[in-house]
Amino acid sequence: MSYQTLKNPVTARLEIKKSEFIAHAYPVSSREQAMFHVEQLHEQYPDARHWCWAYIIGDPDNTTSAGFDDDGEPNGTAGRPILGVLQHKSIGNVIIVVVRYFGGIKLGAGGLTRAYAGSAQAAVDQMILSPYIPMAKVQIVATFATEAQCRYVLEDLGGQVEDVAYSQQVMLTATLAQADIADLKERLAMDGRVLESS
């Protein structure tokens, strides 16, 4: 499961035969987040002709969720080409929305397909990508005496403490790369007990 994710939103503009294509890309982790960006762009560009989009949640080769919409353009000329660019580049957890202002010259089906794929590619060209690392929540049960050592090991592995509860023992709730859980358990063998929550 190796794919790239977008770090920050990007925008790219293309003009093709007087039509303007504005591609917006956003990192997303759910369909709801993706649709929120589509709605925002409808409000930002109320006088545009089309708002075509494609998104991928999860691994682009084995996606948990993907979708696209031609938004009134001829079937298969907008959303699918955008999705194709994302799949080809192995980018997951992302949506690209291409806003089109019609310039008066019809592009034809082939021209539209190239325009939307080209717009998506222009956005991809501006992206700063990072490898996707599956994270997990863990809870670590420790004594007051070993709490500092548990925090040290967790942070040394790139984990982050999110919550701490004190009672007879200390309960640390943290986020850590899934691949590092076995290492965490091994390194905390004497100082704390790791409970995996998700």
Side-chain angles (χ1 to χ4, degrees):
M1 184 160 101
S2 146
Y3 62 95
Q4 306 269 31
T5 58
L6 172 61
K7 278 194 166 182
N8 302 305
V10 297
T11 303
R13 292 172 184 268
L14 289 182
E15 192 175 306
I16 300 164
K17 292 188 178 173
K18 297 191 178 172
S19 279
E20 188 178 12
F21 294 83
I22 309 163
H24 291 269
Y26 301 96
V28 293
S29 56
S30 68
R31 185 180 195 285
E32 293 70 34
Q33 265 188 334
M35 294 304 97
F36 169 78
H37 290 298
V38 174
E39 286 169 27
Q40 292 292 100
L41 291 170
H42 269 276
E43 289 172 19
Q44 190 177 338
Y45 301 99
D47 52 341
R49 177 74 64 92
H50 301 282
W51 300 262
C52 304
W53 49 263
Y55 70 83
I56 296 177
I57 307 300
D59 183 344
D61 296 327
N62 187 17
T63 182
T64 49
S65 175
F68 61 88
D69 185 10
D70 295 322
D71 191 42
E73 293 283 31
N75 196 17
T77 61
R80 190 171 287 285
I82 298 168
L83 184 65
V85 168
L86 292 174
Q87 288 172 324
H88 179 71
K89 297 290 182 181
S90 286
I91 304 170
N93 292 341
V94 65
I95 182 168
I96 293 181
V97 184
V98 179
V99 178
R100 180 184 181 199
Y101 282 94
F102 182 58
I105 300 170
K106 291 191 182 262
L107 301 179
L112 282 173
T113 301
R114 284 188 296 279
Y116 281 102
S119 299
Q121 184 60 53
V124 167
D125 290 344
Q126 292 192 26
M127 290 180 179
I128 297 171
L129 299 170
S130 58
Y132 173 71
I133 299 169
M135 302 299 278
K137 268 207 188 328
V138 293
Q139 290 185 314
I140 301 165
V141 180
T143 65
F144 292 100
T146 60
E147 177 188 357
Q149 178 61 20
C150 290
R151 283 177 179 265
Y152 170 76
V153 170
L154 188 64
E155 286 167 13
D156 190 48
L157 289 170
Q160 197 167 353
V161 176
E162 290 179 4
D163 190 41
V164 184
Y166 296 99
S167 56
Q168 277 85 6
Q169 295 180 307
V170 180
M171 175 76 78
L172 297 156
T173 304
T175 306
L176 180 74
Q178 275 179 339
D180 292 332
I181 292 175
D183 201 9
L184 179 69
K185 287 180 178 176
E186 194 178 303
R187 288 179 62 184
L188 289 183
M190 303 298 285
D191 299 313
R193 193 163 41 93
V194 179
L195 314 170
E196 290 175 60
S197 33
S198 59

